[in-house]
Amino acid sequence: MRIISRKTLRVFWEKHPDARQSLQAWYADVKRSEWRSPTDIKNIYRSASIVPNNRAVFNIKGNRYRLVVAIQYEFGIVYIRFVGTHNEYDKIDAATI
């Protein structure tokens, strides 16, 4: 998968250094993946939530942080839409961000 953009993750882990290893691992895994449907995501990330508008929510660092992505399956592109704490996540709508 092509991920847009790693910079968003880097900016976040610079503020939250404890998230760095988990975000880097997620990035490496997804870059090697070929998701064609939400089922492909759930087969690898059982705790991921699939939400409307081709969005997926991932638990990062033992569920301490949340990562929301938008996916264009037909083109193999993952857009990072949000990364933040649970409190920050509670203030957004994952389906529209």
Side-chain angles (χ1 to χ4, degrees), residues 6-76:
R6 185 170 189 235
K7 180 181 178 184
T8 304
L9 299 179
R10 190 179 72 245
V11 167
F12 184 79
W13 78 52
E14 286 173 356
K15 285 182 167 179
H16 305 274
D18 63 321
R20 182 178 185 152
Q21 184 177 4
S22 297
L23 289 171
Q24 286 178 327
W26 177 89
Y27 183 89
D29 287 347
V30 174
K31 193 156 180 72
R32 289 188 302 266
S33 298
E34 290 185 26
W35 296 338
R36 299 287 174 222
S37 72
T39 303
D40 294 338
I41 297 169
K42 291 296 280 184
N43 286 338
I44 298 168
Y45 296 98
R46 298 217 184 270
S47 65
S49 299
I50 306 301
V51 294
N53 296 326
N54 290 325
R55 303 289 202 275
V57 180
F58 297 91
N59 298 318
I60 302 295
K61 182 74 174 140
N63 208 16
R64 186 166 183 186
Y65 303 108
R66 292 284 177 98
L67 172 65
V68 179
V69 300
I71 304 147
Q72 285 191 335
Y73 296 100
E74 62 275 17
F75 299 111

